[in-house]
Amino acid sequence: MNIVLVGAGPRNLSLLERLLAHAQRTDEETTITLFDPFPIGGRVWNPDQDPTFLMNTVTQQLTLFTDPSVAKSATGVFGPTFYEWAITVGPEFIQSHNFKNAAIFLDEIARINPNRFTSRALFGVYAQWFYENLGNYRPKNVQFAYLRKAVIDVQQTAPHMFKVLLEDGSTVDAEQVVMALGNADEANTNEEQRFADFTAQHTGLTYVPAGHPAEARLDTVPDNEPVILRGLGLNFFDYIAKLTVGRGGHFARDRAGELYYVPSGKEPKMIAGSRKGLPMHARGLNQKKDAESHRPIFFTAGNIDRFARENNGKVTYDFFFNLIEKEMNYKHYQNVISDFGLTWPFNAAEFLEALRHSANLNATAREWGVPDEYIMNWDRILNPLGESAEAVDYNEFMVKYLTWDINDALKGNVDAPYAGAFDMLRDVRPVIRHYLDAGYLDGDEYAQFLAKFNPFNSIISVGPPILRIEQMRALIKAGILTITGPGIKVVATEEGFVATDAFGHEWHAQNLVEARLHSISLAESINPLIANLRDRDIFSDQSYQKSDGSTYTVGGIRMNKATLTVVNKADKEVAGLYIWGALLKVGHGLRPLPLAPVSVIKTSLTRSILLKQFLNNSF
C-alpha cells in the first residue's frame, strides 16, 4: 500500500506515528510519503522562521505523542512532551543539526519554563526530532520518507487509486491520500486588491497583504514613519513584535515589575485598529498540569441532550449559550470568593450550592450580598467603553483596560475571576463539539452560532500570552503604538492611506499592513491543490437554508467526520481521499468544527478519536 500525507505539520506527524503503530498488526508492505514545501513542522511551525513569533499554548501542554490517558486500538510510541524534550535531549539534537536559528534555540531552552510560551520555530525543531525518532520504531514492512515538495493536484485514476502531482511535474501513485493543509493562501478581497493596485501605481507607498506573519515583508515598512495595521488578533501581536524587537528595540521591567519599552530608533509609528477596537484577552498564567481541566456543572452533554429530547430533537443557540454563560458565571463567583484576602459575610459552600440551583446566577449573587463590582457583567466585558465612548481618550482607556486584563490574567487560568472563567471555554470544547455534531441545529441556529459564538470564543479564550498584552501596553505608553477606536476603516487617497474610526478620528500614512489572516473560503483559495480539486468538484463547501428561505455558505471543505473522507459536490464520498485540520467543514448532516486547531494540545481527545476512526478504515 502507498499512502501520501500532504502536509508535514503536527497533524500528519501524529498520524504517521499512528500509522506505524497500526502497521505492526499486518504484514502488508506499506510506503508512507510526506510532502510539504516547508521543513518538517510545516508552514506554521517552520524551524527556519523568525523566533520572535510565539505560540499561544504553554510548553508543558504541547506534545506530538498520544499519551497514556487516551484509549488506543494499537499501542503507540510514548515520548516526551515539548517541554520534557527541551530540557533533556533538545540541546543535543539542536547541536547535531544545522539549524538556522541554533544559537537562539539554545538560548530559549536555557530559560524555558513549563508554564510560559516559547517560539513556534522551536516547536518546529521538536517536530523534526519527533519525525527522526519515529525511524527507531519503523516496522520492517513499512518505509516512510519526507520530501520537501508541494503537491499541486490529486487525480483519482480508479477506486482507491490516485495520482499525486508535484510542483516539479513528477507524480506519485497512492491508494490513500491524507491532506492536512492548514490555513491556505486566498485571493485578495476587492478592497485589498484595490489597495495593492493603488500602491503599485503610486511611488512611496507600501502595502503588505494579509498572510502568515513569518512571510510578511515587514522590512518594506520604513523606519520612523506611520504605518496603519488592520487587525488586533493573534497576528497583530506577531507584527508589533517584528516591528519593535525585530528592529533592535527591547523590553525591560521597572522596579515595580511593569514592562516598558526601550526603542532602537528604527521602529515605525504604528496605528492599529479593528472592527471591535479591542485585542483578545490575555491567556491566564498557567496553573493547570497535564490533563487537568474544569469539570462543568451546567454546560454538559447531558443537559444539552435532555433539552433536545424535550424539544423535538433541537437545541436552540440561546439555550446553548445560556448554559455556557451560567458555567462561566459560576466559575467567576467560585474564584471571587476563593480570594482569601477578602472576608465574605456568608458560608461559601452554601453560596455555591445556591448558585448550582439558580436560574440566574447574577441575581443570586446579588441576593447573597456580592457587591456590584464583583458581578459578572457581560455587557461591560464585551463593550467596556459602554455609552460614554466618545468622551474617552481611547489610548488612555486602552492602557487602563490592558492593565485590568494583565492583573486579572496574572492570577492564573484556574484562580483568576475572569481569566479563569474565560479559560474554561477551552476545557469544554468536547461539549461544544457534541452540540455541533449531534444534529441539534437547524440552519437558523447554526447561523447564530457562526455569527455570535465564534467571535465571542475568539476574543475570550483564544488570546495571546500575558507578555504580549504587556508589550502592547508598553508600546502605547512609549508613544510608538496608537490604537484607534472601534470600526476602523481605511481608504486610499492621492496623499496615501487614511484610517478613520467610529469616533471620527483620522490618521494618515504611506504604509498599510493587513495584520491578519483571511477567513477560510474554499471559493477564494489560490492554493493550487485546493483550487484544482475545487474546480473539478472534488472539494465542495456546504450551504444551509434558513427559515426565511435564504441560504448561506460555510467556506470550508466538506468531509465525513466519522471517516475524514472528502465529500464531493455530488454529495459522494471520495474513498481513499481524506482531509482534516483548519479547512474542514463536515458533510453528511454532521456539523462543522469551526474551533481553533487543537492538534498539538496534549489533552486533545478529539484528535485521537479522529485518528482511530481513520485508521480503522485504512488498515
Side-chain angles (χ1 to χ4, degrees):
M1 175 183 291
N2 290 327
I3 300 174
V4 165
L5 307 182
V6 185
R11 283 185 172 87
N12 274 350
L13 289 174
S14 295
L15 175 57
L16 175 61
E17 184 275 323
R18 292 283 75 212
L19 288 170
L20 296 179
H22 279 257
Q24 298 194 43
R25 304 188 306 180
T26 176
D27 294 328
E28 182 177 6
E29 294 293 327
T30 302
T31 299
I32 306 170
T33 310
L34 292 91
F35 291 100
D36 199 309
F38 292 90
I40 289 288
R43 190 177 196 176
V44 173
W45 314 101
N46 183 353
D48 293 336
Q49 69 184 292
D50 190 331
T52 300
F53 303 132
L54 299 181
M55 295 180 285
N56 70 329
T57 302
V58 297
T59 57
Q60 70 163 305
Q61 292 180 350
L62 292 159
T63 188
L64 288 171
F65 294 95
T66 53
D67 64 44
S69 68
V70 178
K72 293 177 283 294
S73 56
T75 301
V77 177
F78 296 133
T81 66
F82 174 48
Y83 175 72
E84 292 166 344
W85 167 85
I87 63 174
T88 55
V89 300
E92 181 181 352
F93 181 76
I94 291 168
Q95 290 168 341
S96 66
H97 289 66
N98 187 29
F99 287 109
K100 173 182 175 182
N101 299 307
I104 297 175
F105 293 149
L106 293 173
D107 177 66
E108 280 194 84
I109 288 176
R111 50 189 169 82
I112 200 166
N113 184 296
N115 292 312
R116 293 186 179 170
F117 305 81
T118 191
S119 71
R120 297 198 287 266
L122 184 58
F123 186 84
V125 178
Y126 170 66
Q128 183 160 326
W129 171 86
F130 175 85
Y131 172 79
E132 294 183 17
N133 184 62
L134 288 181
N136 298 323
Y137 303 94
R138 178 182 61 83
K140 292 182 179 180
N141 59 314
V142 175
Q143 300 293 326
F144 70 86
Y146 151 73
L147 295 178
R148 188 169 176 176
K149 295 182 180 181
V151 173
I152 63 172
D153 201 1
V154 176
Q155 301 169 356
Q156 188 171 23
T157 56
H160 270 289
M161 287 298 300
F162 301 91
K163 188 175 290 295
V164 178
L165 180 62
L166 307 177
E167 60 184 341
D168 61 6
S170 60
T171 61
V172 175
D173 293 327
E175 285 97 322
Q176 299 194 12
V177 179
V178 185
M179 297 169 286
L181 306 178
N183 286 93
D185 293 329
E186 295 179 10
N188 288 338
T189 65
N190 291 336
E191 180 190 49
E192 292 166 351
Q193 192 56 50
R194 287 197 301 271
F195 287 150
D197 293 342
F198 182 81
T199 301
Q201 296 163 7
H202 294 75
T203 58
L205 299 184
T206 299
Y207 179 65
V208 179
H212 286 262
E215 300 162 28
R217 291 296 309 278
L218 296 181
D219 57 321
T220 61
V221 177
D223 300 349
N224 298 307
E225 289 191 13
V227 56
I228 299 166
L229 291 87
R230 290 207 298 184
L232 293 176
L234 293 179
N235 276 26
F236 160 74
F237 293 99
D238 288 337
Y239 282 76
I240 63 172
K242 183 69 174 175
L243 292 170
T244 55
V245 175
R247 296 200 174 188
H250 68 274
F251 292 91
R253 292 193 184 275
D254 61 21
R255 291 184 178 181
E258 182 173 319
L259 203 72
Y260 65 92
Y261 182 67
V262 180
S264 68
K266 297 180 179 179
E267 302 86 355
K269 296 176 175 61
M270 295 178 281
I271 302 138
S274 67
R275 287 191 299 269
K276 290 186 175 296
L278 295 171
M280 295 172 166
H281 282 283
R283 298 283 309 281
L285 187 71
N286 185 56
Q287 298 172 309
K288 298 177 180 179
K289 297 180 180 179
D290 296 326
E292 179 184 354
S293 64
H294 173 80
R295 294 184 178 181
I297 296 171
F298 304 99
F299 186 64
T300 66
N303 283 339
I304 290 174
D305 293 342
R306 189 176 303 112
F307 185 90
R309 289 194 297 270
E310 296 170 355
N311 292 273
N312 300 314
K314 297 299 178 184
V315 178
T316 63
Y317 174 79
D318 288 343
F319 177 79
F320 159 83
F321 190 75
N322 180 60
L323 286 186
I324 284 185
E325 190 175 88
K326 288 180 70 173
E327 195 69 52
M328 297 179 77
N329 286 359
Y330 180 85
K331 177 62 174 171
H332 167 76
Y333 291 120
Q334 186 180 43
N335 287 356
V336 164
I337 66 169
S338 70
D339 187 340
F340 297 135
L342 300 174
T343 301
W344 297 96
F346 50 72
N347 181 282
E350 293 175 357
F351 172 63
L352 293 176
E353 182 67 17
L355 290 179
R356 283 193 284 269
H357 293 89
S358 171
N360 185 326
L361 275 69
N362 283 347
T364 300
R366 286 191 173 95
E367 290 171 3
W368 279 70
V370 174
D372 281 346
E373 60 264 31
Y374 295 110
I375 297 297
M376 190 66 148
N377 187 331
W378 284 105
D379 289 337
R380 186 173 61 207
I381 290 169
L382 299 176
N383 182 26
L385 274 176
E387 299 299 322
S388 61
E390 293 188 41
V392 172
D393 180 300
Y394 200 71
N395 280 268
E396 180 181 333
F397 154 78
M398 185 59 63
V399 168
K400 293 178 180 178
Y401 175 79
L402 297 177
T403 299
W404 166 80
D405 194 42
I406 292 164
N407 291 341
D408 178 73
L410 285 171
K411 295 178 182 178
N413 61 357
V414 174
D415 296 337
Y418 293 95
F422 298 162
D423 199 78
M424 182 219 76
L425 274 182
R426 300 169 65 85
D427 297 337
V428 299
R429 282 175 178 171
V431 184
I432 298 172
R433 293 188 180 97
H434 174 73
Y435 170 66
L436 295 172
D437 294 344
Y440 291 154
L441 292 83
D442 58 23
D444 293 291
E445 301 298 334
Y446 186 54
Q448 282 199 70
F449 179 90
L450 293 177
K452 295 180 179 180
F453 182 74
N454 272 0
F456 171 82
N457 179 59
S458 293
I459 197 167
I460 291 297
S461 74
V462 192
I466 300 171
L467 176 64
R468 289 306 200 205
I469 298 294
E470 288 187 289
Q471 290 174 342
M472 182 179 178
R473 180 182 65 178
L475 291 171
I476 295 172
K477 285 190 169 186
I480 290 171
L481 174 63
T482 297
I483 305 298
T484 77
I488 186 173
K489 294 182 180 178
V490 180
V491 296
T493 71
E494 289 303 314
E495 287 75 35
F497 300 107
V498 180
T500 57
D501 64 14
F503 308 145
H505 301 137
E506 189 172 285
W507 295 267
H508 294 255
Q510 304 293 301
N511 311 286
L512 173 60
V513 173
E514 306 288 6
R516 55 192 171 81
L517 289 173
H518 284 120
S519 58
I520 294 171
S521 173
L522 172 62
E524 300 301 324
S525 179
I526 56 175
N527 175 284
L529 174 59
I530 296 173
N532 283 327
L533 292 174
R534 175 196 63 208
D535 294 345
R536 295 203 309 277
D537 295 336
I538 304 300
F539 281 168
S540 61
D541 48 27
Q542 179 73 56
S543 294
Y544 296 87
Q545 186 168 18
K546 299 172 70 172
S547 58
D548 62 5
S550 63
T551 60
Y552 62 95
T553 299
V554 179
I557 298 167
R558 296 174 67 209
M559 45 78 80
N560 184 333
K561 187 176 178 181
T563 62
L564 303 184
T565 309
V566 169
V567 177
N568 65 23
K569 194 169 185 178
D571 204 34
K572 303 292 185 183
E573 294 187 19
V574 184
L577 186 63
Y578 306 93
I579 187 167
W580 64 331
L583 298 173
L584 296 187
K585 301 299 173 190
V586 182
H588 288 296
L590 297 178
R591 295 299 177 183
L593 185 66
L595 300 172
V598 293
S599 66
V600 295
I601 306 299
K602 184 177 180 181
T603 56
S604 177
L605 178 60
T606 298
R607 180 191 66 185
S608 298
I609 292 173
L610 291 175
L611 286 170
K612 180 179 178 181
Q613 291 169 337
F614 166 71
L615 291 163
N616 286 341
N617 290 277
S618 301
F619 283 98

